[in-house]
Amino acid sequence: MITIRPATRADDEALWQIFQSVVAAGDSFVFDEQTTREQALAYWFQPEGHAYVAENDGRLAGSYLLKPNQPGRGSHIANASFMVSPEARGLGVGRHMGEHCLAEAARQGFRAMQFNIVVSTNEAAVRLWQQLGFRIAATLPGVFRHAQLGFVDAHVMFQELGDAPKGTV
Amino acid sequence: MITIRPATRADDEALWQIFQSVVAAGDSFVFDEQTTREQALAYWFQPEGHAYVAENDGRLAGSYLLKPNQPGRGSHIANASFMVSPEARGLGVGRHMGEHCLAEAARQGFRAMQFNIVVSTNEAAVRLWQQLGFRIAATLPGVFRHAQLGFVDAHVMFQELGDAPKGTV
């Protein structure tokens, strides 16, 4: 049973654990091992953002950050980052969070959602975002330094949000 | 005679003047009138970045910021922001800075340069970047809130940097 609620600073340690595991894989997140606990949590709890956590039977299974993709004249477009705990893979936590995030972005009045660097070799993620209504707007060559594969392509993915955005719960 | 040198904190007031004039136009920069002097200068002098100023006969005519487009696993791709003083338009300051910026990015070892939000209605800028070797990788619908035109499209523009990047001096 997956539930989603706003993150609080009481989640700091659990979030830092998940953050480190995602960073260690080096296959999806731009942040690398240089990122400190303080930097990671400052990013996740940035004033312009809204962080949520997914719990599976009361245990933290993942988290996402919803925020404006740009300041000022670009702030009507949402951006989001997602982390899933290694122990919670295959439970649909990512899909659950993605649907929640799209609904929340629409509710907050964002006009569209944009992902800037979806790693092309992370095929499960690309497929999930496409299923939730995103299209690949661009494929940028070699922009992600993959821990195993070296420089790989990444996608800019985009979808407009309406009164009834695709993929919402 | 246009010359380019690294920006210093002695340029703060002149940079803030140019920043405000570019922001007031509301047709090219994502930053809007909400941006404070402190925020603007903190952005321009961010630790990961390198800011340069262009002088025309000893007077500040423009400035650019060269920085990584992403942290960590995306930090081998450069990003840059440009401002030209309203009094210095039409003198080739933008082109001069663009060429300098591409050469500097290559010198610093960046593998490519990416612009995330080039306003489509800013045709002079789009043309200039194309002339300097950038291609339009994506056109994102309505992602820029133009002061006069409302929501307009913006381009993601991209070019690889090599030993002899296009458009360098």
Side-chain angles (χ1 to χ4, degrees):
Chain A
M1 171 66 178
I2 296 162
T3 54
I4 295 183
R5 61 164 174 81
T8 75
R9 299 311 302 245
D11 300 311
D12 275 9
E13 184 55 28
L15 289 173
W16 174 234
Q17 293 297 327
I18 297 183
F19 188 92
Q20 286 176 289
S21 68
V22 175
V23 160
D27 58 0
S28 65
F29 233 30
V30 285
F31 296 102
D32 66 13
E33 294 84 351
Q34 310 295 314
T35 315
T36 66
R37 186 182 200 274
E38 188 184 2
Q39 289 170 332
L41 293 171
Y43 179 77
W44 217 251
F45 287 105
Q46 60 184 265
E48 305 77 14
H50 296 268
Y52 293 83
V53 294
E55 290 177 318
N56 184 33
D57 293 332
R59 201 180 146 81
L60 210 80
S63 183
Y64 79 84
L65 167 65
L66 171 65
K67 66 179 185 63
N69 193 44
Q70 295 280 356
R73 298 191 172 280
S75 62
H76 54 292
I77 310 298
N79 172 248
S81 294
F82 296 82
M83 316 190 285
V84 175
S85 168
E87 304 96 66
R89 294 281 155 76
L91 302 175
V93 175
R95 176 181 300 269
H96 214 89
M97 290 197 297
E99 291 172 344
H100 189 278
C101 180
L102 283 164
E104 186 58 24
R107 195 188 67 76
Q108 292 184 19
F110 286 107
R111 294 171 60 95
M113 190 176 293
Q114 180 176 334
F115 298 150
N116 301 304
I117 185 159
V118 181
V119 181
S120 63
T121 51
N122 190 3
E123 290 171 18
V126 175
R127 200 177 315 119
L128 172 59
W129 301 136
Q130 287 176 322
Q131 287 170 356
L132 294 186
F134 288 86
R135 62 183 180 274
I136 294 174
T139 300
L140 301 169
V143 300
F144 184 83
R145 185 172 50 80
H146 190 291
Q148 281 81 46
L149 305 173
F151 297 110
V152 299
D153 301 349
H155 306 304
V156 176
M157 299 190 77
F158 192 89
Q159 82 166 288
E160 285 81 6
L161 302 175
D163 293 334
K166 291 169 195 162
T168 54
V169 285
Chain B
M1 170 66 178
I2 296 163
T3 54
I4 295 183
R5 61 166 174 80
T8 76
R9 299 312 300 244
D11 298 312
D12 275 10
E13 184 53 29
L15 289 172
W16 173 233
Q17 293 296 327
I18 297 183
F19 187 93
Q20 286 175 290
S21 68
V22 175
V23 160
D27 58 0
S28 65
F29 232 31
V30 285
F31 296 102
D32 65 12
E33 294 83 351
Q34 310 294 314
T35 316
T36 65
R37 186 183 200 272
E38 189 184 2
Q39 288 170 331
L41 293 171
Y43 179 76
W44 218 249
F45 287 104
Q46 59 185 267
E48 305 79 13
H50 296 268
Y52 293 84
V53 294
E55 291 177 317
N56 184 33
D57 292 332
R59 201 180 145 82
L60 212 81
S63 183
Y64 79 84
L65 168 65
L66 171 65
K67 63 179 186 64
N69 193 45
Q70 295 279 356
R73 297 190 173 282
S75 62
H76 55 292
I77 310 298
N79 172 249
S81 294
F82 295 83
M83 317 189 284
V84 175
S85 168
E87 305 95 65
R89 295 279 155 77
L91 302 175
V93 175
R95 176 181 299 269
H96 213 90
M97 290 196 298
E99 292 172 344
H100 189 277
C101 180
L102 284 164
E104 186 58 24
R107 195 187 66 77
Q108 292 185 19
F110 286 108
R111 294 172 60 95
M113 189 176 293
Q114 180 176 334
F115 298 150
N116 301 305
I117 186 159
V118 180
V119 182
S120 62
T121 51
N122 190 2
E123 290 171 17
V126 175
R127 202 177 315 121
L128 173 59
W129 301 136
Q130 287 176 321
Q131 287 170 356
L132 294 186
F134 287 86
R135 62 183 180 274
I136 294 174
T139 299
L140 301 169
V143 299
F144 184 82
R145 185 172 51 79
H146 190 290
Q148 280 80 46
L149 304 173
F151 297 110
V152 299
D153 300 350
H155 306 303
V156 176
M157 299 189 77
F158 192 89
Q159 82 166 289
E160 285 81 5
L161 302 175
D163 293 333
K166 291 169 196 165
T168 55
V169 284

